[in-house]
């Protein structure tokens, strides 16, 4: 196991931020750590990266205990903390040389050139960090997390505050670098986890409320899935309600409808047969996908 978290409790004074949390992450997995603000995501990540000690329980990274072998763990882990603290007065290259020195890397210069290339910072390498856009600052944060070629990457809200273009770029970068690493990445944005991760761990008020493969969890919700249908002709709500087992109908734009079954049964065949009998032309018919967002809402609003 790359990350093993066993019955971890973390208390800040009398307040418990983590209650008996356990999970593990296998080598090569990209796992999303999802939860509303204040759920305990950053606290858990700080414990895994040796920045904070747990009150109870055990955590190990690649078999090394975070309390007993902190130096070894730090050498195996790349960490991008929340809000990405950087030295704004330093130049990109100067900063990365400094971080390479902290890790006591051999061939510092070569490694810095390599990592600047890997995260796409070439055009900005001579700038001061403070002069960079938020997306490029995030690349510098990722470069410092990756410079010592760690086996495990811990990314705390890596895309928060980015504009849509920067977001896509950083997501793609994480996907690319994540191919050869174990990644645990926190977010409170469901689409993000859907876009990058294969598995999701959902935490709410210090408790793990779900730990599943993303596609499994999306189907785990006992949702009454709708069928989205587009007709060539104008049909009315009343006409659609005549289809066997259709209990509810919502308009989704011109000639587009969401049809819901009255007993959760599959209504696709009924829609098709009825349309043929009425001589309506179906342009498309698809099952509405359960969004991870709905699962998240249902699990964290209890
Ligand atoms: P998340 O990252 O999911 O937003 P955090 O791990 O930051 O959640 O916080 C979990 C809980 O612990 C919150 O209630 C937060 O207020 C509390 N907390 C976090 N850091 C501290 C601290 N240094 N002192 C006291 N309480 C803290």
């Amino acid at each position: 196991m790359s990350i093993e978290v066993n019955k971890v409790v973390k208390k800040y004074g009398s307040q418990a931020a983590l209650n008996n949390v356990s999970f593990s992450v296998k080598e090569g997995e990209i796992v999303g750590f999802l939860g509303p603000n204040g759920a305990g995501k950053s606290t858990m990540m700080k414990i895994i990266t040796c920045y904070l000690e747990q009150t109870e329980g055990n955590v190990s990274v690649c078999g090394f205990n975070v309390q007993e072998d902190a130096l070894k763990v730090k050498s195996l882990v790349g960490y991008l903390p929340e809000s990405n603290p950087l030295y704004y007065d330093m130049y990109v290259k100067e900063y990365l040389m400094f971080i390479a020195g902290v890790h006591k890397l051999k061939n510092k210069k070569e490694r810095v050139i390599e990592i600047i290339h890997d995260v796409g910072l070439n055009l900005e390498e001579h700038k001061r960090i403070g002069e960079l856009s938020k997306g490029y600052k995030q690349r510098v944060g990722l470069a410092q997390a990756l410079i010592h070629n760690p086996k495990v990457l811990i990314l705390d809200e890596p895309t928060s505050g980015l504009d849509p273009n920067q977001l896509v770029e950083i997501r793609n970068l994480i996907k690319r670098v994540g191919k050869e690493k174990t990644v645990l990445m926190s977010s409170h944005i469901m689409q993000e986890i859907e876009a990058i991760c294969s598995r999701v761990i959902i935490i709410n008020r210090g408790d793990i409320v779900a730990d599943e493969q993303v596609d499994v969890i999306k189907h785990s919700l006992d949702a009454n899935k709708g069928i989205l249908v587009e007709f060539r002709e104008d049909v009315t709500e009343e006409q659609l309600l005549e289809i066997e087992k259709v209990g509810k109908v919502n308009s989704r734009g011109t000639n587009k409808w969401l049809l819901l079954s009255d007993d959760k049964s599959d209504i696709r065949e009924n829609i098709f047969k009825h349309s043929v009998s009425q001589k309506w032309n179906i342009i498309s018919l698809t099952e509405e996908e359960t969004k991870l967002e709905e699962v998240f809402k249902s699990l964290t609003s209890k």
Side-chain angles (χ1 to χ4, degrees), residues 42-271:
S42 295
T43 300
M44 191 66 249
M45 291 183 146
K46 283 177 193 159
I47 294 171
I48 297 171
T49 52
C50 311
Y51 282 83
L52 204 62
E53 284 207 351
Q54 67 270 37
T55 314
E56 288 171 33
N58 278 302
V59 177
S60 61
V61 176
C62 304
F64 295 95
N65 187 291
V66 293
Q67 284 170 313
E68 290 155 20
D69 296 300
L71 277 179
K72 182 71 189 168
V73 170
K74 283 187 180 177
S75 74
L76 292 164
V77 172
Y79 176 38
L80 177 63
E82 196 186 10
S83 74
N84 187 16
L86 295 168
Y87 297 108
Y88 280 18
D89 287 335
M90 284 179 103
Y91 291 89
V92 172
K93 237 179 167 170
E94 180 194 15
Y95 172 69
L96 292 173
M97 283 296 284
F98 164 68
I99 299 292
V102 170
H103 287 293
K104 299 190 172 73
L105 300 185
K106 292 175 200 143
N107 310 321
K108 282 198 291 181
K109 262 191 182 160
E110 289 78 3
R111 183 59 188 145
V112 168
I113 291 168
E114 200 174 40
I115 201 74
I116 281 178
H117 174 76
D118 284 355
V119 303
L121 269 169
N122 296 70
L123 293 173
E124 314 286 320
E125 66 179 353
H126 298 298
K127 285 193 182 167
R128 258 185 231 274
I129 293 173
E131 293 166 358
L132 300 177
S133 70
K134 180 115 207 241
Y136 277 94
K137 285 190 183 106
Q138 223 47 5
R139 287 174 195 247
V140 177
L142 278 167
Q144 71 73 29
L146 289 163
I147 198 157
H148 55 304
N149 198 16
K151 287 195 161 149
V152 177
L153 260 187
I154 308 283
L155 310 175
D156 197 353
E157 305 257 1
T159 60
S160 81
L162 299 182
D163 74 31
N165 293 334
Q166 294 169 334
L167 204 115
V168 172
E169 285 168 17
I170 296 295
R171 270 184 198 167
N172 288 340
L173 184 55
I174 294 171
K175 266 199 217 167
R176 187 161 53 77
V177 297
K179 279 194 184 130
E180 297 125 36
K181 312 216 175 275
T182 304
V183 183
L184 181 69
M185 177 187 124
S186 78
S187 177
H188 59 272
I189 309 165
M190 288 50 75
Q191 295 88 326
E192 179 132 299
I193 302 288
E194 262 183 299
I196 303 178
C197 306
S198 55
R199 189 176 132 211
V200 62
I201 297 173
I202 304 182
I203 184 167
N204 189 39
R205 296 185 185 175
D207 288 308
I208 304 282
V209 290
D211 180 350
E212 275 293 359
Q213 296 300 313
V214 169
D215 35 349
V216 173
I217 204 165
K218 277 165 69 181
H219 294 105
S220 70
L221 197 66
D222 190 21
N224 185 5
K225 274 197 205 160
I227 305 295
L228 280 166
V229 194
E230 183 176 359
F231 297 99
R232 181 160 293 142
E233 346 0 69
D234 288 331
V235 291
T236 64
E237 188 171 336
E238 290 70 35
Q239 288 176 312
L240 291 170
L241 283 167
E242 283 170 17
I243 302 172
E244 198 182 340
K245 291 201 168 169
V246 168
K248 212 172 152 196
V249 172
N250 291 319
S251 172
R252 288 288 168 95
T254 314
N255 298 340
K256 287 184 190 154
W257 298 88
L258 180 75
L259 309 182
L260 291 145
S261 132
D262 55 11
D263 64 355
K264 294 186 183 174
S265 59
D266 190 346
I267 50 172
R268 286 175 295 183
E269 211 174 312
N270 301 351
I271 297 168

Side-chain angles (χ1 to χ4, degrees), residues 267-286:
I267 50 172
R268 286 175 295 183
E269 211 174 312
N270 301 351
I271 297 168
F272 186 73
K273 281 185 182 158
H274 192 87
S275 303
V276 170
S277 76
Q278 299 297 309
K279 298 200 165 57
W280 300 335
N281 289 287
I282 294 176
I283 294 174
S284 68
L285 185 149
T286 47

